[in-house]
Amino acid sequence: AQKVTQAQTEISVVEKEDVTLDCVYETRDTTYYLFWYKQPPSGELVFLIRRNSFDEQNEISGRYSWNFQKSTSSFNFTITASQVVDSAVYFCALSVPSGSARQLTFGSGTQLTVLP
Amino acid sequence: GAVVSQHPSWVICKSGTSVKIECRSLDFQATTMFWYRQFPKQSLMLMATSNEGSKATYEQGVEKDKFLINHASLTLSTLTVTSAHPEDSSFYICSARGLAGVNYEQYFGPGTRLTVT
């Protein structure tokens, strides 16, 4: 069975601060995919990134960066120079191809509040 | 590309009535659709998985007779909440997935907020 843990329930930062959201996953599969989604107050999930288990390169996209460490089963997400518009709930998720439907297993989410 | 719509975006109904929520893939064929439920300040919980032309597979604890899912075409799945009660009030989100390539990703609809009074 798959499991995703986001230990940080809520984080509050002041604008322009950097913030890292933690994600720890569990799976016995050697092939898997990790995702991050953003859910603003409107409720619609916004896809941020997908990473497969064979690609441990860190990725940077603008102010966003992701650190994938298989040794610690972590896939952490950093927002640099945070902005008020970054305020949202962020979900980490895991999918394994061996599952019959490649279902997504979601973490419990981290509520990020960026204060002006 | 890969847009999923849901209708309605919000609905208020009286206890005991039934409500139908539609999920459409607008620009790709969705062989598999997923239905999630999300209570306030909680994560998404998978309710069921449906493949086009087949019966839905429900997650443990989800009543299949209460949450009727129909996936009759490659672009449309419906979730009907039958005899709704206040505890069914929630945010319902669908996602759709195609066969291969970029469409093998799961694309999410904007969600439907259901309030049962």
Side-chain angles (χ1 to χ4, degrees):
Chain A
Q2 282 59 243
K3 185 178 178 182
V4 177
T5 301
Q6 294 180 255
Q8 303 151 309
T9 306
E10 296 182 19
I11 299 177
S12 227
V13 298
V14 177
E15 207 169 18
K16 296 185 184 176
E17 285 184 357
D18 298 348
V19 58
T20 296
L21 309 182
D22 298 333
C23 173
V24 173
Y25 62 91
E26 293 177 33
T27 179
R28 291 184 178 179
D29 289 64
T30 55
T31 301
Y32 51 89
Y33 296 88
L34 295 163
F35 302 79
W36 274 96
Y37 291 90
K38 174 182 180 179
Q39 187 178 42
S42 64
E44 182 164 3
L45 280 176
V46 178
F47 167 81
L48 296 178
I49 190 172
R50 181 185 77 160
R51 171 70 68 205
N52 74 55
S53 53
F54 298 108
D55 183 1
E56 286 193 74
Q57 268 195 329
N58 292 326
E59 181 156 339
I60 298 175
S61 176
R63 296 184 297 108
Y64 296 168
S65 63
W66 291 269
N67 183 284
F68 177 27
Q69 302 239 341
K70 286 178 79 169
S71 60
T72 55
S73 297
S74 65
F75 186 43
N76 296 337
F77 171 33
T78 298
I79 301 175
T80 304
S82 59
Q83 299 176 0
V84 173
V85 293
D86 295 329
S87 296
V89 180
Y90 290 85
F91 291 99
C92 181
L94 168 71
S95 172
V96 297
S98 62
S100 59
R102 294 186 65 148
Q103 297 165 349
L104 280 169
T105 299
F106 283 89
S108 54
T110 297
Q111 169 73 60
L112 173 64
T113 302
V114 181
L115 303 168
Chain B
V3 178
V4 176
S5 71
Q6 275 184 247
H7 178 81
S9 55
W10 60 270
V11 57
I12 301 173
C13 72
K14 291 190 175 180
S15 190
T17 61
S18 295
V19 174
K20 181 184 283 188
I21 302 170
E22 292 185 350
C23 177
R24 292 182 187 273
S25 56
L26 299 185
D27 50 4
F28 69 101
Q29 293 186 326
T31 51
T32 305
M33 285 187 169
F34 303 86
W35 287 96
Y36 297 85
R37 180 167 52 182
Q38 185 181 30
F39 292 109
K41 295 190 182 296
Q42 292 189 24
S43 188
L44 283 75
M45 297 304 297
L46 180 66
M47 298 175 68
T49 302
S50 72
N51 291 300
E52 184 264 338
S54 304
K55 287 186 179 179
T57 302
Y58 290 82
E59 294 300 300
Q60 193 172 7
V62 178
E63 300 173 59
K64 61 180 181 181
D65 295 329
K66 181 170 183 60
F67 299 99
L68 302 179
I69 292 172
N70 184 286
H71 190 168
S73 79
L74 284 171
T75 58
L76 172 65
S77 176
T78 59
L79 167 67
T80 301
V81 184
T82 62
S83 187
H85 289 99
E87 57 265 31
D88 298 323
S89 298
S90 188
F91 191 54
Y92 292 87
I93 305 172
C94 75
S95 71
R97 192 179 69 210
L99 270 176
V102 67
N103 286 336
Y104 208 33
E105 297 287 346
Q106 220 179 104
Y107 299 98
F108 286 85
T112 297
R113 200 164 299 280
L114 169 64
T115 302
V116 184
T117 60

